[in-house]
Amino acid sequence: MPSKTSICNLAVGWLGGNLITDVDVDTSKEATLCNANYDDSRKLVLEAADWNFARELHALLPAGTSPDFGYSNRFLIPEHALVLRKCSLQASDLAPQSYWETRNSDFQYMLRGQFIEAHAEKLYTSFTMDVTDPKLYSSTFIHALAAHIAMSIAVPLTESGTHEDRMTNKYANYLREAMSIDGVQSKSKRINSDVLLRVR
């Protein structure tokens, strides 16, 4: 079962460091460096791709008062959302090529703070969420995350720029592979909108 410690040990192992018993308890150099970089790396890798396990679809309703100027309504971005991937005036039939389809090609919106502003009464959206439970991660995400952590701690742990370069290449390769796999799954997977859409 994947855990924060096992992900960090994957990174440390690639660098030839000493494995960690519990990353939240150990005081070793490896554990300290991993703890200092884990959350930032996790968010950066989540933001880097439209991961299936981190994707949530939401139907948003206007939130309170309208903006003072510009668009007619504003919509509250869900808590723990990291990236807005899609925003549409209506849900499509979840066609294989994309989750959302906007019939009005002139549709525009603006992100402002914690809100999406638009001339609309309802928005259909897809977000990448800030998923913290390692048990939900795909294997490709785990390897991409471990590679990013290894890239971040390589120099302070090994005092070698060569290791950093190697881990940078490893991260790029894992991310490319992961995006390819998730892309194929997205095109073949159909999900009932009444199950996934959450109205706020």
Side-chain angles (χ1 to χ4, degrees):
M1 189 71 66
S3 65
K4 179 179 176 181
T5 297
S6 68
I7 293 170
C8 290
N9 274 333
L10 189 58
V12 168
W14 286 334
L15 297 172
N18 297 315
L19 296 184
I20 303 163
T21 302
D22 185 334
V23 72
D24 291 318
V25 175
D26 288 6
T27 58
S28 64
K29 185 176 183 179
E30 287 85 353
T32 300
L33 287 171
C34 284
N35 259 324
N37 288 275
Y38 183 88
D39 282 334
D40 284 343
S41 288
R42 176 179 56 77
K43 290 181 180 180
L44 284 167
V45 180
L46 280 169
E47 292 174 355
D50 187 8
W51 303 95
N52 285 331
F53 71 87
R55 184 187 301 123
E56 282 190 6
L57 311 182
H58 291 259
L60 305 181
L61 297 177
T65 59
S66 300
D68 293 334
F69 57 88
Y71 293 98
S72 58
N73 279 316
R74 64 180 186 173
F75 304 80
L76 183 64
I77 294 173
E79 189 177 6
H80 304 305
L82 287 177
V83 181
L84 173 63
R85 300 291 180 183
K86 301 283 184 180
C87 185
S88 174
L89 289 173
Q90 68 176 39
S92 72
D93 293 330
L94 301 186
Q97 293 302 316
S98 66
Y99 277 92
W100 300 110
E101 188 175 80
T102 304
R103 291 185 180 178
N104 180 0
S105 60
D106 296 326
F107 172 61
Q108 295 181 338
Y109 61 91
M110 175 182 290
L111 293 174
R112 192 190 301 271
Q114 295 301 306
F115 295 92
I116 304 169
E117 297 182 0
H119 293 306
E121 295 301 321
K122 190 175 185 179
L123 292 180
Y124 296 90
T125 57
S126 175
F127 292 92
T128 293
M129 307 301 290
D130 186 11
V131 179
T132 59
D133 185 354
K135 293 189 293 294
L136 301 178
Y137 298 160
S138 65
S139 59
T140 48
F141 177 83
I142 288 172
H143 282 76
L145 174 55
H148 195 283
I149 294 170
M151 177 183 71
S152 301
I153 69 174
V155 171
L157 183 63
T158 68
E159 299 181 357
S160 169
T162 301
H163 284 84
E164 182 181 32
D165 292 341
R166 186 164 57 87
M167 292 302 109
T168 299
N169 290 332
K170 184 182 286 289
Y171 169 65
N173 289 335
Y174 275 126
L175 186 61
R176 190 179 303 112
E177 176 185 352
M179 291 173 69
S180 174
I181 291 173
D182 259 38
V184 170
Q185 290 174 345
S186 294
K187 291 179 181 179
S188 62
K189 188 176 183 181
R190 284 180 172 267
I191 307 172
N192 293 328
S193 59
D194 59 342
V195 174
L196 286 179
L197 292 181
R198 304 177 183 184
V199 178
R200 291 178 60 91

